[in-house]
Amino acid sequence: MAEVLGGTTTLKLAETAHTAHAWRIHEIAGDFDLEDVWALDTPGGPDDFGKLVKQFSSGNFPDGSPLPVRALWALRWKLGALLGLDERSSGLDTRVGSLRGKLPQDLRDTPTGPDEDWLPFTPLYRLDDEFAAEMANRTMHGVLHIAWVEDGQGGHRGQMAVLVKPNGLFGRLYMGFIKPFRYLIIYPALMRMIAREWKGDS
């Protein structure tokens, strides 16, 4: 279903667009909430997934985003510092265990590029049509899932899902508080940037 978010038409998908696929992430993060599923404007062929993963790791977000996005991003990090949201004691292998401990053996040795910058995420695994990375802070444990799917028109495109496990009541309240900002400002800008960078590299 197409939704108008922040003045632009952005394709937010039904949950089944993610859950109906036999993605490996289901084995690992089955107890996470599926927050969002988005169709990415990244048309390509069956072998172009590596290009999309590389673009995500080297993208210019949020630095290349409009001023409101950059302002929100800066505010988030200032609040994080003030409230201790991003302290080491609230992250992976401290507050929560990394999902790498749940990876089947065949996923543990999948490649991640040595020159890729995924901060604040930590890559979990990469396959020919699926990539996952995780992050954790005081509010939640989250997974970014990127996939390569058929577009129904003889081609392929990217698909992005966000999975979260809120940290108690505080985490759920925080996620609810930031939701309007994500939908009205952050996501539209991110989707436009992904499409623009993809077409610029094509």
Side-chain angles (χ1 to χ4, degrees):
M1 57 180 175
E3 296 187 358
V4 178
L5 301 173
T8 186
T9 299
T10 303
L11 199 58
K12 185 177 184 298
L13 302 176
E15 290 188 359
T16 52
H18 175 79
T19 58
H21 282 268
W23 303 122
R24 300 296 301 275
I25 194 65
H26 300 321
E27 307 169 31
I28 302 153
D31 56 343
F32 279 56
D33 298 331
L34 179 57
E35 188 78 6
D36 301 294
V37 188
W38 302 92
L40 305 180
D41 186 10
T42 56
D47 300 323
D48 285 335
F49 183 57
K51 173 186 170 184
L52 180 63
V53 173
K54 181 66 175 178
Q55 178 180 309
F56 262 78
S57 71
S58 60
N60 193 29
F61 188 88
D63 294 341
S65 302
L67 179 59
V69 175
R70 287 182 277 124
L72 277 176
W73 213 259
L75 178 61
R76 162 60 183 84
W77 287 110
K78 287 183 179 179
L79 286 175
L82 180 65
L83 300 175
L85 300 183
D86 307 299
E87 293 178 351
R88 173 61 184 156
S89 60
S90 299
L92 296 173
D93 294 324
T94 50
R95 186 182 70 79
V96 296
S98 169
L99 291 175
R100 288 196 62 84
K102 294 185 176 182
L103 292 182
Q105 188 60 47
D106 66 315
L107 294 183
R108 292 184 181 183
D109 298 325
T110 58
T112 55
D115 60 340
E116 295 177 2
D117 180 7
W118 285 97
L119 291 175
F121 288 91
T122 299
L124 285 167
Y125 64 88
R126 179 189 304 189
L127 301 173
D128 291 339
D129 61 353
E130 184 181 0
F131 171 86
E134 66 177 335
M135 67 167 292
N137 56 34
R138 187 181 169 197
T139 66
M140 59 88 195
H141 186 181
V143 173
L144 172 68
H145 184 265
I146 308 169
W148 197 239
V149 299
E150 295 182 0
D151 61 9
Q153 302 176 15
H156 290 71
R157 60 161 175 79
Q159 181 169 293
M160 183 181 80
V162 177
L163 302 96
V164 298
K165 183 185 287 188
N167 183 18
L169 178 60
F170 173 73
R172 292 191 180 280
L173 289 174
Y174 178 84
M175 294 298 294
F177 173 73
I178 67 172
K179 190 170 186 176
F181 299 100
R182 290 190 294 114
Y183 275 73
L184 294 174
I185 300 175
I186 300 296
Y187 276 131
L190 175 61
M191 297 303 166
R192 285 193 295 267
M193 178 170 291
I194 290 171
R196 184 169 62 248
E197 292 181 351
W198 182 265
K199 292 170 183 175
D201 290 341
S202 297

